[in-house]
């Protein structure tokens, strides 16, 4: 099974593609999609759609796992991230069809056994479970891989957003 994990954003969007064979997990590809700050939000959203579509077409995931939006105190940033997240969800459902969403607490619980784990603990587990030489950088990449690993843990027991 190929799983694409996504850490939503509008400036930097993390993605991580993993393969699950039995109980074994391995990283296939990971990185970030970046949009230039000098561009307008509509242009950045179109760039995000194009780049994410290319990732999905390249890896043909069986499922897409997206971290749910954690609202911070900056409403302007929150709105922009929510707009980008809408593009991500639409792109995922159009090109993959199997979309799953997980809260940060669920992702931390799946990777560490503790829903209140620190970011460094989650990053350590991403590195260990995927047998990586180092923690993926930037944090958005590690978060995306964590979302993919979370889905690998829940498997068929996960709540699918759309069939």
């Amino acid at each position: 099974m190929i799983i694409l994990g996504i850490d939503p954003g509008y400036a930097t969007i993390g993605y991580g593609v993993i393969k699950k064979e039995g109980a074994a997990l391995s990283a296939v590809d990971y990185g970030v999609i970046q949009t230039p700050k000098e561009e307008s939000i509509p242009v950045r959203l179109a760039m995000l759609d194009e780049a994410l579509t290319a990732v999905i077409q390249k890896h043909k995931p069986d499922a897409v796992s997206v971290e749910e939006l954690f609202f911070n105190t900056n409403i302007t940033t929150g709105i922009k991230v929510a707009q980008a997240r809408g593009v991500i969800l639409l792109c995922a459902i159009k090109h993959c069809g199997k979309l799953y969403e997980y809260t940060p607490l669920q992702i931390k619980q799946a990777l560490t056994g503790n829903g209140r784990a620190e970011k460094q603990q989650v990053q350590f587990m991403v590195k260990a479970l995927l047998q990586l030489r180092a923690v993926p950088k930037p944090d958005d990449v590690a978060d995306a891989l964590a979302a993919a690993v979370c889905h690998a843990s829940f498997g068929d027991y996960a709540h699918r957003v759309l069939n």
Side-chain angles (χ1 to χ4, degrees):
M1 170 184 257
I2 302 293
I3 304 166
L4 169 61
I6 302 173
D7 180 43
Y10 70 95
T12 304
I13 300 89
Y15 70 89
V17 180
I18 69 168
K19 185 174 192 176
K20 180 180 181 186
E21 294 179 289
L25 301 176
S26 60
V28 174
D29 186 22
Y30 51 87
V32 292
I33 297 167
Q34 294 186 305
T35 63
K37 61 183 175 187
E38 61 273 3
E39 291 291 350
S40 67
I41 289 296
V43 170
R44 292 171 85 171
L45 295 176
M47 294 170 86
L48 167 58
D49 179 58
E50 185 178 323
L52 186 55
T53 296
V55 170
I56 292 171
Q57 289 175 343
K58 177 180 179 182
H59 296 290
K60 298 175 180 36
D62 299 299
V64 177
S65 174
V66 181
E67 183 175 333
E68 286 189 0
L69 182 61
F70 175 77
F71 186 77
N72 57 26
T73 56
N74 185 337
I75 193 155
T76 303
T77 300
I79 290 170
K80 290 176 184 176
V81 173
Q83 290 172 330
R85 193 169 180 284
V87 169
I88 291 165
L89 297 179
L90 178 61
C91 184
I93 206 67
K94 279 174 52 179
H95 299 292
C96 175
K98 293 186 179 175
L99 173 63
Y100 301 83
E101 297 180 272
Y102 298 97
T103 66
L105 189 135
Q106 288 173 310
I107 293 171
K108 291 175 182 181
Q109 179 72 35
L111 271 80
T112 69
N114 176 3
R116 304 284 180 214
E118 297 292 325
K119 184 174 274 293
Q120 293 80 9
Q121 292 172 290
V122 175
Q123 291 173 342
F124 174 82
M125 290 306 295
V126 164
K127 177 182 173 249
L129 291 168
L130 297 175
Q131 301 175 20
L132 301 172
R133 293 176 195 229
V135 171
K137 296 290 179 190
D139 289 351
D140 310 270
V141 175
D143 291 348
L145 286 167
V149 171
C150 175
H151 181 70
S153 299
F154 285 119
D156 294 333
Y157 300 104
H159 170 70
R160 191 179 323 171
V161 178
L162 289 173
N163 290 325

